[in-house]
Amino acid sequence: MNARRVRGVVAALAALALTTLATACGGTETTGTAASAGGGDKLAEVRLGYFPNITHSTALVGIEKGLFAKHLGDTKLKTSTFNAGPAAIEAVFSGAIDATYIGPNPAINAWAKSKGKAIKIIAGSASGGVYLVVKPEINGVEDLKGKKIATPQLGNTQDVALRYWLQEKGLKTDTKGGGDVNILPQENSQTLQTFATGDIDGAWVPEPFASRLVQESKGKILVDERDLWPGKQFVITHLIVRQEFAAQHPETVKQLLEGHVEANAAINADPAGAAATVNSALEKLSGKPLKQEVLDSVFKNITFTNDPIASSLVGSADHAVKIGLLQPVDLNGIYDLNALNEILKAKGETAVADR
């Protein structure tokens, strides 16, 4: 997991990826609107993906406050939103986006599927903010047998976390919704409805959906995922980039990271102001802002950090292997934190580690 070991081979891997990614990833590399506008590192656009939820507040603040645009200069920022990680990864594989905010398990799957040639994790973004929310009558894991529990998407970060936790508690699941606990992958917005109507008994979801289930439908928290990790820290969101894009446009990647670092700094310097900014962004995306009580709750539950908390990525991969959703994978080289650490050093901040 040491970034120093990959510095000498990044260029070779990137060159190889240009010719092999279509085969390795089941997609075709396209330059699209990210093509050079005059050669060198000058770009007409850089295409960034993110999710319209609180755990992606770094992206939301960076976009709304124009922080990415400020650092990108003449390069236009084009954004795309996704509901869950697997869809975002498909967009990366097809060349539809150049970088995306995403959870750990989809990034691991992308690394495994492409044999280490598709993506690099270049920064952390958020930790925490994930819960198992259930109906009031459910008081423990023993009450979950025969119940229906939602996750955002099969194989996404919360889906893996739920399946692994249930397995550790002796309860079986399968990918078709069978087993001791019936897991039903569905969009988070749909989960709000199905929980309210009683069609599901709970959900393992990120904020703000967890707080909304509690406040709007009288759900209760059965598991705070922070309690399952050492030091109560685990990566829920980080920033990845296509390897070939990074190799072709390293300065643009660094500019994107400068906006990222400034966005996290803005969030931590003024959480209330950041919450308002995020709520405004969510209103634009969904047509409806979060209630203030929900907003106040969720910003207390998430830590925004440039640290990718690399040790938790290894744990997530191990969990996915143990539940049968991932073959054993060597994650050595998945991180490239060099540009991030250069930025942090210039600001007098502590470097982050890749293990």
Side-chain angles (χ1 to χ4, degrees), residues 48 65 72 99 120 122-123 135 149 161 170 174-175 185 188-189 257 260 263 270 272 279 294 308 312 318 325:
L48 177 68
K65 286 187 170 293
L72 286 168
K120 289 282 188 178
I122 58 174
K135 293 295 185 181
I149 308 297
D174 63 42
T175 57
N188 291 323
S189 58
L257 281 169
H260 169 96
D270 182 13
N279 209 21
V294 173
S312 69
D318 180 63
L325 288 181

Side-chain angles (χ1 to χ4, degrees), residues 136-219:
E137 61 269 21
I138 296 175
N139 296 309
V141 65
E142 63 279 359
D143 296 330
L144 293 176
K145 196 165 185 178
K147 298 297 191 295
K148 298 178 180 179
I149 308 297
T151 63
Q153 189 171 354
L154 176 64
N156 97 310
T157 302
Q158 289 80 52
D159 187 74
V160 169
L162 171 60
R163 292 175 190 276
Y164 177 74
W165 181 76
L166 290 171
Q167 179 176 281
E168 288 291 287
K169 299 298 182 180
L171 296 177
K172 296 180 180 179
T173 65
D174 63 42
T175 57
K176 297 181 179 180
D180 296 323
V181 180
N182 308 129
I183 298 180
L184 304 176
Q186 56 188 226
E187 291 190 5
N188 291 323
S189 58
Q190 182 183 358
T191 293
L192 295 174
Q193 300 171 1
T194 53
F195 188 78
T197 59
D199 292 327
I200 60 171
D201 303 289
W204 194 294
V205 287
E207 293 286 23
F209 301 99
S211 287
R212 289 188 64 184
L213 291 175
V214 171
Q215 296 188 22
E216 297 173 12
S217 298
K218 296 182 171 56

Side-chain angles (χ1 to χ4, degrees), residues 91-335:
V92 171
F93 281 175
S94 71
I97 59 175
D98 306 306
T100 188
Y101 287 86
I102 201 166
N105 288 93
I108 293 167
N109 290 335
W111 179 261
K113 187 176 181 180
S114 69
K115 303 186 188 327
K117 297 179 175 65
I119 61 102
K120 289 282 188 178
I121 299 169
I122 58 174
S125 179
S127 171
V130 182
Y131 301 88
L132 172 57
V133 181
V134 297
K135 293 295 185 181
E137 61 269 21
I138 296 175
N139 296 309
V141 65
E142 63 279 359
D143 296 330
L144 293 176
K145 196 165 185 178
K147 298 297 191 295
K148 298 178 180 179
I149 308 297
T151 63
Q153 189 171 354
L154 176 64
N156 97 310
T157 302
Q158 289 80 52
D159 187 74
V160 169
L162 171 60
R163 292 175 190 276
Y164 177 74
W165 181 76
L166 290 171
Q167 179 176 281
E168 288 291 287
K169 299 298 182 180
L171 296 177
K172 296 180 180 179
T173 65
D174 63 42
T175 57
K176 297 181 179 180
D180 296 323
V181 180
N182 308 129
I183 298 180
L184 304 176
Q186 56 188 226
E187 291 190 5
N188 291 323
S189 58
Q190 182 183 358
T191 293
L192 295 174
Q193 300 171 1
T194 53
F195 188 78
T197 59
D199 292 327
I200 60 171
D201 303 289
W204 194 294
V205 287
E207 293 286 23
F209 301 99
S211 287
R212 289 188 64 184
L213 291 175
V214 171
Q215 296 188 22
E216 297 173 12
S217 298
K218 296 182 171 56
K220 74 176 183 182
I221 293 174
L222 188 65
V223 178
D224 179 341
E225 193 175 336
R226 288 177 295 189
D227 295 335
L228 307 180
W229 292 93
K232 295 183 179 291
Q233 291 189 333
F234 66 99
V235 58
I236 181 60
T237 310
H238 50 209
L239 179 59
I240 68 171
V241 66
R242 288 191 296 123
Q243 282 193 26
E244 53 270 66
F245 181 83
Q248 293 166 1
H249 308 290
E251 187 58 33
T252 301
V253 172
K254 188 172 182 180
Q255 291 167 345
L256 193 68
L257 281 169
E258 287 170 339
H260 169 96
V261 169
E262 189 170 347
N264 271 342
I267 293 171
N268 289 311
D270 182 13
T277 298
V278 168
N279 209 21
S280 175
L282 294 177
E283 182 177 11
K284 292 178 184 177
L285 293 166
S286 67
K288 186 177 180 181
L290 294 175
K291 295 179 180 179
Q292 190 61 47
E293 56 267 31
V294 173
L295 198 64
D296 292 341
S297 173
V298 299
F299 260 78
K300 295 176 182 177
N301 298 332
I302 304 171
T303 300
F304 295 98
T305 175
N306 298 310
D307 189 344
I309 316 174
S311 61
S312 69
L313 187 78
V314 177
S316 293
D318 180 63
H319 298 170
V321 169
K322 287 181 176 177
I323 62 174
L325 288 181
L326 179 71
Q327 293 297 314
V329 56
D330 181 4
L331 296 178
N332 185 53
I334 195 172
Y335 291 98

